[in-house]
Amino acid sequence: KYNVNTGSTVASACADCAAGKYNVNTGSAVASDCIDCATGKANANTASPVASDCVDCGAGAYADAPGSVTCTNCPPGKANANTASTLASSCGDCAAGYYAEAGAATCLACAVGSSADAGVGINADSCTACTGGTYVDLVTVFECTDCAAGEFSNEGSETCTACPAGEFSAAVGTETCTPCPIGFVSAAAGAVQCTACPGGRVTPAEG
């Protein structure tokens, strides 16, 4: 606290040091006796009498100006494992295949079957399930890969599955396989096309 007036008769004449500051002295007569918290620290309280009221910014945050009331969170897609950070650049980019929400201490790997924010590469703030017809089979891969012809996958898949016998998939990136039409067959799984029945034979139904 401090008091710029003379002849004061009540304690309420002593003004509080603002948040982001502290004053260890008694009998202060000027506001400048209130000292800014150092960078990397913050103090949300007023009338702080000790420097220890200025608290180190936690991991995932920083304070780049003296006298900070609160620490600033790292933005989405960046992370900071250190405490008492003084620069915004302390928040490092998440690598491809990793993501971070605001205020993150570390970047997290996307789970299999998902990609980092639909393949944006670095600085992703979330992961997105791979669409049907695509897959991711390893963590940290930031882009989903099309299933090959003769295969299919559902949303969020980590592998592709061969089309069953009686069905086919002629294109890459297929979510569902197509039954062979009447008069055609695919005897083995993973067919990219169906074969016509030989002369004298016919299939009674599709697939």
Side-chain angles (χ1 to χ4, degrees):
K1 293 178 180 285
Y2 64 96
N3 182 10
V4 299
N5 303 305
T6 59
S8 298
T9 60
V10 291
S12 59
C14 298
D16 291 342
C17 288
K21 299 176 180 290
Y22 68 96
N23 183 6
V24 299
N25 302 308
T26 57
S28 292
V30 289
S32 58
D33 281 350
C34 298
I35 301 169
D36 285 336
C37 293
T39 55
K41 298 175 179 286
N43 179 16
N45 301 310
T46 59
S48 291
V50 290
S52 58
D53 283 348
C54 299
V55 180
D56 287 348
C57 294
Y62 65 94
D64 58 0
S68 293
V69 177
T70 58
C71 298
T72 302
N73 282 335
C74 292
K78 295 177 180 285
N80 176 19
N82 301 311
T83 60
S85 295
T86 61
L87 298 171
S89 59
S90 300
C91 303
D93 294 338
C94 290
Y98 291 80
Y99 73 100
E101 297 177 348
T106 58
C107 299
L108 303 176
C110 292
V112 291
S114 64
S115 66
D117 216 14
V120 299
I122 65 170
N123 296 344
D125 60 8
S126 64
C127 297
T128 304
C130 293
T131 58
T134 66
Y135 73 101
V136 165
D137 60 354
L138 297 171
V139 297
T140 76
V141 175
F142 71 92
E143 193 165 6
C144 301
T145 302
D146 285 337
C147 293
E151 298 178 336
F152 74 99
S153 73
N154 298 317
E155 181 180 293
S157 293
E158 59 183 279
T159 59
C160 296
T161 303
C163 293
E167 298 183 7
F168 75 101
S169 169
V172 299
T174 298
E175 186 171 3
T176 58
C177 299
T178 303
C180 292
I182 294 174
F184 290 79
V185 297
S186 63
V192 298
Q193 63 181 9
C194 300
T195 304
C197 293
R201 294 179 177 273
V202 66
T203 57
E206 289 185 337

PDB file of all heavy atoms in Angstrom, residues 1 15 19 23 26 38 43-44 47 50 57 68 75 102-103 136 138 179 184 196 200 203:
ATOM      1  N   LYS A   1       0.839  -1.189   0.000  1.00  0.00           N
ATOM      2  CA  LYS A   1       0.000   0.000   0.000  1.00  0.00           C
ATOM      3  C   LYS A   1       0.880   1.247   0.000  1.00  0.00           C
ATOM      4  O   LYS A   1       2.080   1.183   0.298  1.00  0.00           O
ATOM      5  CB  LYS A   1      -0.926   0.017   1.223  1.00  0.00           C
ATOM      6  CG  LYS A   1      -1.992  -1.085   1.227  1.00  0.00           C
ATOM      7  CD  LYS A   1      -2.838  -1.024   2.483  1.00  0.00           C
ATOM      8  CE  LYS A   1      -3.898  -2.120   2.490  1.00  0.00           C
ATOM      9  NZ  LYS A   1      -5.016  -1.870   1.598  1.00  0.00           N
ATOM     10  N   ALA A  15      -3.662   3.552  -0.263  1.00  0.00           N
ATOM     11  CA  ALA A  15      -4.183   2.922  -1.476  1.00  0.00           C
ATOM     12  C   ALA A  15      -3.478   1.590  -1.729  1.00  0.00           C
ATOM     13  O   ALA A  15      -2.297   1.407  -1.403  1.00  0.00           O
ATOM     14  CB  ALA A  15      -3.981   3.851  -2.665  1.00  0.00           C
ATOM     15  N   ALA A  19      -2.916  -4.881  -9.048  1.00  0.00           N
ATOM     16  CA  ALA A  19      -2.561  -6.252  -9.406  1.00  0.00           C
ATOM     17  C   ALA A  19      -1.367  -6.223 -10.356  1.00  0.00           C
ATOM     18  O   ALA A  19      -1.208  -5.292 -11.150  1.00  0.00           O
ATOM     19  CB  ALA A  19      -3.746  -6.940 -10.067  1.00  0.00           C
ATOM     20  N   ASN A  23       4.644  -4.389  -2.889  1.00  0.00           N
ATOM     21  CA  ASN A  23       5.399  -3.366  -2.164  1.00  0.00           C
ATOM     22  C   ASN A  23       5.776  -3.919  -0.798  1.00  0.00           C
ATOM     23  O   ASN A  23       4.906  -4.185   0.034  1.00  0.00           O
ATOM     24  CB  ASN A  23       4.553  -2.097  -2.002  1.00  0.00           C
ATOM     25  CG  ASN A  23       5.318  -0.978  -1.314  1.00  0.00           C
ATOM     26  OD1 ASN A  23       6.513  -1.090  -1.057  1.00  0.00           O
ATOM     27  ND2 ASN A  23       4.609   0.110  -0.998  1.00  0.00           N
ATOM     28  N   THR A  26       7.038  -0.314   4.263  1.00  0.00           N
ATOM     29  CA  THR A  26       5.996   0.352   5.047  1.00  0.00           C
ATOM     30  C   THR A  26       6.209   1.860   4.929  1.00  0.00           C
ATOM     31  O   THR A  26       7.326   2.333   4.692  1.00  0.00           O
ATOM     32  CB  THR A  26       6.055  -0.069   6.531  1.00  0.00           C
ATOM     33  OG1 THR A  26       7.350   0.226   7.063  1.00  0.00           O
ATOM     34  CG2 THR A  26       5.776  -1.564   6.673  1.00  0.00           C
ATOM     35  N   ALA A  38       8.185  -9.399 -12.073  1.00  0.00           N
ATOM     36  CA  ALA A  38       9.117  -9.630 -13.171  1.00  0.00           C
ATOM     37  C   ALA A  38       8.429 -10.384 -14.307  1.00  0.00           C
ATOM     38  O   ALA A  38       7.393 -11.035 -14.115  1.00  0.00           O
ATOM     39  CB  ALA A  38      10.314 -10.427 -12.670  1.00  0.00           C
ATOM     40  N   ASN A  43       0.598 -11.738 -10.989  1.00  0.00           N
ATOM     41  CA  ASN A  43      -0.046 -11.566  -9.686  1.00  0.00           C
ATOM     42  C   ASN A  43      -1.417 -10.951  -9.902  1.00  0.00           C
ATOM     43  O   ASN A  43      -1.528  -9.794 -10.314  1.00  0.00           O
ATOM     44  CB  ASN A  43       0.804 -10.679  -8.778  1.00  0.00           C
ATOM     45  CG  ASN A  43       0.159 -10.444  -7.426  1.00  0.00           C
ATOM     46  OD1 ASN A  43      -0.767 -11.147  -7.036  1.00  0.00           O
ATOM     47  ND2 ASN A  43       0.660  -9.443  -6.692  1.00  0.00           N
ATOM     48  N   ALA A  44      -2.449 -11.715  -9.643  1.00  0.00           N
ATOM     49  CA  ALA A  44      -3.811 -11.230  -9.857  1.00  0.00           C
ATOM     50  C   ALA A  44      -4.357 -10.465  -8.658  1.00  0.00           C
ATOM     51  O   ALA A  44      -5.465  -9.923  -8.722  1.00  0.00           O
ATOM     52  CB  ALA A  44      -4.729 -12.408 -10.181  1.00  0.00           C
ATOM     53  N   ALA A  47      -2.706  -5.062  -3.455  1.00  0.00           N
ATOM     54  CA  ALA A  47      -2.172  -4.857  -2.100  1.00  0.00           C
ATOM     55  C   ALA A  47      -1.204  -5.957  -1.679  1.00  0.00           C
ATOM     56  O   ALA A  47      -1.162  -6.343  -0.506  1.00  0.00           O
ATOM     57  CB  ALA A  47      -3.304  -4.722  -1.089  1.00  0.00           C
ATOM     58  N   VAL A  50       4.492  -8.794  -0.525  1.00  0.00           N
ATOM     59  CA  VAL A  50       5.723  -9.579  -0.695  1.00  0.00           C
ATOM     60  C   VAL A  50       5.915  -9.945  -2.163  1.00  0.00           C
ATOM     61  O   VAL A  50       4.951 -10.139  -2.914  1.00  0.00           O
ATOM     62  CB  VAL A  50       5.696 -10.867   0.160  1.00  0.00           C
ATOM     63  CG1 VAL A  50       5.818 -10.540   1.641  1.00  0.00           C
ATOM     64  CG2 VAL A  50       4.434 -11.665  -0.113  1.00  0.00           C
ATOM     65  N   CYS A  57       4.695 -18.259 -14.060  1.00  0.00           N
ATOM     66  CA  CYS A  57       3.749 -18.805 -15.031  1.00  0.00           C
ATOM     67  C   CYS A  57       3.957 -20.323 -15.113  1.00  0.00           C
ATOM     68  O   CYS A  57       5.099 -20.808 -15.085  1.00  0.00           O
ATOM     69  CB  CYS A  57       3.968 -18.194 -16.414  1.00  0.00           C
ATOM     70  SG  CYS A  57       3.601 -16.431 -16.496  1.00  0.00           S
ATOM     71  N   SER A  68       2.604  -8.205 -15.029  1.00  0.00           N
ATOM     72  CA  SER A  68       1.485  -8.979 -15.585  1.00  0.00           C
ATOM     73  C   SER A  68       0.520  -9.408 -14.485  1.00  0.00           C
ATOM     74  O   SER A  68       0.927  -9.846 -13.401  1.00  0.00           O
ATOM     75  CB  SER A  68       1.995 -10.217 -16.324  1.00  0.00           C
ATOM     76  OG  SER A  68       2.706  -9.858 -17.487  1.00  0.00           O
ATOM     77  N   PRO A  75      -0.919 -20.443 -27.692  1.00  0.00           N
ATOM     78  CA  PRO A  75      -2.077 -20.612 -28.577  1.00  0.00           C
ATOM     79  C   PRO A  75      -2.231 -22.073 -28.996  1.00  0.00           C
ATOM     80  O   PRO A  75      -1.297 -22.881 -28.843  1.00  0.00           O
ATOM     81  CB  PRO A  75      -1.720 -19.730 -29.774  1.00  0.00           C
ATOM     82  CG  PRO A  75      -0.230 -19.706 -29.787  1.00  0.00           C
ATOM     83  CD  PRO A  75       0.195 -19.736 -28.354  1.00  0.00           C
ATOM     84  N   ALA A 102      -5.097 -24.825 -26.504  1.00  0.00           N
ATOM     85  CA  ALA A 102      -4.517 -23.632 -25.885  1.00  0.00           C
ATOM     86  C   ALA A 102      -4.021 -23.953 -24.483  1.00  0.00           C
ATOM     87  O   ALA A 102      -4.663 -24.690 -23.728  1.00  0.00           O
ATOM     88  CB  ALA A 102      -5.550 -22.513 -25.839  1.00  0.00           C
ATOM     89  N   GLY A 103      -2.844 -23.426 -24.132  1.00  0.00           N
ATOM     90  CA  GLY A 103      -2.305 -23.620 -22.790  1.00  0.00           C
ATOM     91  C   GLY A 103      -1.694 -24.984 -22.557  1.00  0.00           C
ATOM     92  O   GLY A 103      -1.554 -25.404 -21.407  1.00  0.00           O
ATOM     93  N   VAL A 136      -5.134 -44.375 -41.224  1.00  0.00           N
ATOM     94  CA  VAL A 136      -3.819 -44.046 -40.668  1.00  0.00           C
ATOM     95  C   VAL A 136      -3.463 -45.180 -39.721  1.00  0.00           C
ATOM     96  O   VAL A 136      -4.199 -45.459 -38.770  1.00  0.00           O
ATOM     97  CB  VAL A 136      -3.824 -42.704 -39.904  1.00  0.00           C
ATOM     98  CG1 VAL A 136      -2.576 -42.581 -39.037  1.00  0.00           C
ATOM     99  CG2 VAL A 136      -3.859 -41.535 -40.867  1.00  0.00           C
ATOM    100  N   LEU A 138      -0.377 -45.513 -38.094  1.00  0.00           N
ATOM    101  CA  LEU A 138       0.668 -45.167 -37.145  1.00  0.00           C
ATOM    102  C   LEU A 138       0.314 -43.856 -36.465  1.00  0.00           C
ATOM    103  O   LEU A 138      -0.255 -42.958 -37.084  1.00  0.00           O
ATOM    104  CB  LEU A 138       2.023 -44.998 -37.853  1.00  0.00           C
ATOM    105  CG  LEU A 138       2.612 -46.224 -38.550  1.00  0.00           C
ATOM    106  CD1 LEU A 138       3.835 -45.801 -39.366  1.00  0.00           C
ATOM    107  CD2 LEU A 138       3.015 -47.284 -37.534  1.00  0.00           C
ATOM    108  N   PRO A 179     -21.345 -55.135 -54.686  1.00  0.00           N
ATOM    109  CA  PRO A 179     -21.596 -56.541 -55.042  1.00  0.00           C
ATOM    110  C   PRO A 179     -21.431 -56.763 -56.551  1.00  0.00           C
ATOM    111  O   PRO A 179     -21.746 -55.886 -57.356  1.00  0.00           O
ATOM    112  CB  PRO A 179     -23.054 -56.768 -54.620  1.00  0.00           C
ATOM    113  CG  PRO A 179     -23.342 -55.683 -53.617  1.00  0.00           C
ATOM    114  CD  PRO A 179     -22.525 -54.510 -54.058  1.00  0.00           C
ATOM    115  N   PHE A 184     -21.725 -62.187 -62.958  1.00  0.00           N
ATOM    116  CA  PHE A 184     -20.307 -61.954 -62.696  1.00  0.00           C
ATOM    117  C   PHE A 184     -19.956 -62.445 -61.292  1.00  0.00           C
ATOM    118  O   PHE A 184     -20.822 -62.501 -60.399  1.00  0.00           O
ATOM    119  CB  PHE A 184     -19.976 -60.462 -62.810  1.00  0.00           C
ATOM    120  CG  PHE A 184     -20.028 -59.934 -64.215  1.00  0.00           C
ATOM    121  CD1 PHE A 184     -21.258 -59.625 -64.812  1.00  0.00           C
ATOM    122  CD2 PHE A 184     -18.872 -59.752 -64.956  1.00  0.00           C
ATOM    123  CE1 PHE A 184     -21.317 -59.148 -66.102  1.00  0.00           C
ATOM    124  CE2 PHE A 184     -18.925 -59.258 -66.248  1.00  0.00           C
ATOM    125  CZ  PHE A 184     -20.157 -58.962 -66.832  1.00  0.00           C
ATOM    126  N   ALA A 196     -16.797 -62.361 -65.585  1.00  0.00           N
ATOM    127  CA  ALA A 196     -18.029 -62.924 -66.148  1.00  0.00           C
ATOM    128  C   ALA A 196     -18.053 -64.428 -65.948  1.00  0.00           C
ATOM    129  O   ALA A 196     -17.025 -65.113 -66.032  1.00  0.00           O
ATOM    130  CB  ALA A 196     -18.121 -62.582 -67.630  1.00  0.00           C
ATOM    131  N   GLY A 200     -22.521 -71.170 -70.110  1.00  0.00           N
ATOM    132  CA  GLY A 200     -23.317 -72.225 -69.507  1.00  0.00           C
ATOM    133  C   GLY A 200     -23.580 -72.036 -68.029  1.00  0.00           C
ATOM    134  O   GLY A 200     -24.247 -72.861 -67.423  1.00  0.00           O
ATOM    135  N   THR A 203     -24.962 -66.508 -62.293  1.00  0.00           N
ATOM    136  CA  THR A 203     -25.222 -66.311 -60.862  1.00  0.00           C
ATOM    137  C   THR A 203     -26.698 -65.963 -60.676  1.00  0.00           C
ATOM    138  O   THR A 203     -27.263 -65.171 -61.443  1.00  0.00           O
ATOM    139  CB  THR A 203     -24.345 -65.189 -60.288  1.00  0.00           C
ATOM    140  OG1 THR A 203     -24.579 -64.010 -61.012  1.00  0.00           O
ATOM    141  CG2 THR A 203     -22.872 -65.574 -60.358  1.00  0.00           C
TER     142      THR A 203
END
